């Protein structure tokens, strides 16, 4: 669904939502999120996003948990 794709992209672009939370909410793997981003972002935007997400500390954070629960 187009609205789901838009929401997944918005979540992935956010520095406060982990791949784990995207999987919980949309049942899409990290690999598939990266593929979706590659298909929907301009090449420069995708590269900048990948650079940002590789610097993230793996795991959960409180902000992403709050976001996840507020969305339900």
């Amino acid at each position: 669904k187009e609205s789901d794709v838009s929401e997944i992209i918005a979540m992935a672009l956010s520095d406060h939502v982990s791949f784990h939370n995207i999987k919980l909410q949309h049942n899409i793997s990290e690999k598939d999120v990266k593929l979706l981003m590659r298909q929907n972002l301009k090449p420069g935007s995708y590269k900048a996003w990948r650079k940002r997400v590789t610097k993230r500390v793996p795991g959960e954070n409180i902000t992403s948990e709050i976001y996840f629960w507020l969305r339900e």
Side-chain angles (χ1 to χ4, degrees):
K1 231 167 50 169
E2 187 66 33
S3 61
D4 287 342
V5 170
S6 295
E7 185 172 347
I8 292 167
I9 290 170
M11 291 174 76
L13 287 171
S14 170
D15 291 330
H16 303 290
V17 180
S18 67
F19 287 113
H20 174 76
N21 284 343
I22 294 171
K23 180 161 180 69
L24 288 175
Q25 191 164 346
H26 291 281
N27 198 29
I28 182 172
S29 69
E30 179 175 340
K31 180 181 176 182
D32 289 337
V33 170
K34 290 175 183 175
L35 179 62
L36 184 82
M37 297 296 277
R38 182 185 293 267
Q39 293 169 341
N40 288 278
L41 296 180
K42 294 178 183 177
S45 298
Y46 176 77
K47 287 178 186 176
W49 173 75
R50 286 292 292 131
K51 191 173 185 178
R52 251 188 30 243
V53 297
T54 56
K55 291 181 180 180
R56 288 185 193 169
V57 176
E60 300 292 328
N61 66 42
I62 292 171
T63 306
S64 62
E65 287 298 312
I66 291 169
Y67 177 83
F68 176 74
W69 293 111
L70 288 175
R71 298 282 303 152
E72 289 189 330

